Amino acid sequence: MNGAGLSSQGWWAYLQLMRPANIVTAWADILVGFAASGAAIIFDQVITGQAVFIQLLPLVWLLIATTGLYGGGVVFNDVFDAELDAKERPERPIPSSRASRQRATVLGTVLLGIGVVAAAQVSWVSGVLAAIIAGAALSYDALAKHHTFFGPLNMGLCRGGNLLLGVSVLPAMVEERWYLALIPIVYIAAITAISQGEVQGGKKITGFVALLLIGVVISGILGLGLLPNYEIIAALPFAALLSFRVLPPFLKAAREPMPEQIRTAVKAGVLSLIVLDATIAAGFAGLPFGLLVLLLLPISMGLAQLFAVT
């Protein structure tokens, strides 16, 4: 790890810090925001390849932005938790000395900077949203994660902001679709709440509160069917898949709040963010676009076999 360069093992350790499987779920946030903005209609309208490139370029910038923001945020999570991880998770890259805390700090800073700069290529609204997300991620890593109420809320705000970052592909739509951020806020709050017991075990009451929040999310998704431009029929299959993936592990973790059960629930919840996003995307942009978002799930699950999710 010392010297001018890094070995392949060294690079692998820093890649582990970025949690690639989780970054794929952040891409899904951008795609659902893109669908909700109405921009996804270009797939039915453009004819020439050049037109496709021009129309999709802002989306590409936002995907780069969320990669930097999420990657930087989770790197700083391990930077701030280095002392705690040395006791509770010594196998992680920094406490195991496979990655240095100093280099991880540089990596996290560069990634967050890339996130903000890439978003600003789309519009000033996107740039401001990215800066807010970066600040919220650092706030969570440094302070809020240790608070029972503000931790889940803070993390939820990061994901809600990420969805709105996707909406900002058409900046004027952010004001109109702001309420969509509430869905990932509540969903991530549920995951973050239950994850507080993934090392030493949790409390049953916390597990059942998290389960209740998941129920609120599913109800909220179905409630979008009241919107005139939302195809609830297209969203229903995805909503059923979401329920099938998250309700059983969350219920089991609530009944038996042991570390293994909680980690299983957290992993299912994080990866199922893609299913949540596919559900909303299908309602706004139709079944094919929902399936496009859902294709990210096997990619994320495959990466989860190689990299830690929690």
Side-chain angles (χ1 to χ4, degrees), residues 45-159:
Q45 292 182 339
V46 294
I47 298 176
T48 68
Q50 183 179 9
V52 171
F53 176 77
I54 293 172
Q55 293 286 349
L56 293 185
L57 186 57
L59 176 60
V60 173
W61 278 120
L62 293 179
L63 289 172
I64 294 172
T66 198
T67 299
L69 293 171
Y70 198 104
V74 292
V75 167
F76 270 110
N77 177 74
D78 280 27
V79 168
F80 283 109
D81 276 0
E83 288 87 359
L84 182 62
D85 285 344
K87 299 176 182 178
E88 296 183 346
R89 295 188 174 184
E91 74 282 358
R92 282 189 166 180
I94 294 177
S96 67
S97 298
R98 290 180 293 114
S100 77
R101 195 173 185 180
Q102 182 178 12
R103 281 178 168 172
T105 300
V106 172
L107 174 62
T109 302
V110 170
L111 287 170
L112 290 178
I114 289 173
V116 175
V117 171
Q121 305 309 303
V122 177
S123 71
W124 70 267
V125 173
S126 302
V128 169
L129 280 170
I132 292 173
I133 294 168
L138 290 174
S139 172
Y140 174 80
D141 293 336
L143 299 170
K145 72 161 65 174
H146 304 294
H147 194 283
T148 304
F149 174 77
F150 289 108
L153 177 62
N154 194 156
M155 180 53 70
L157 287 171
C158 290
R159 295 303 296 231

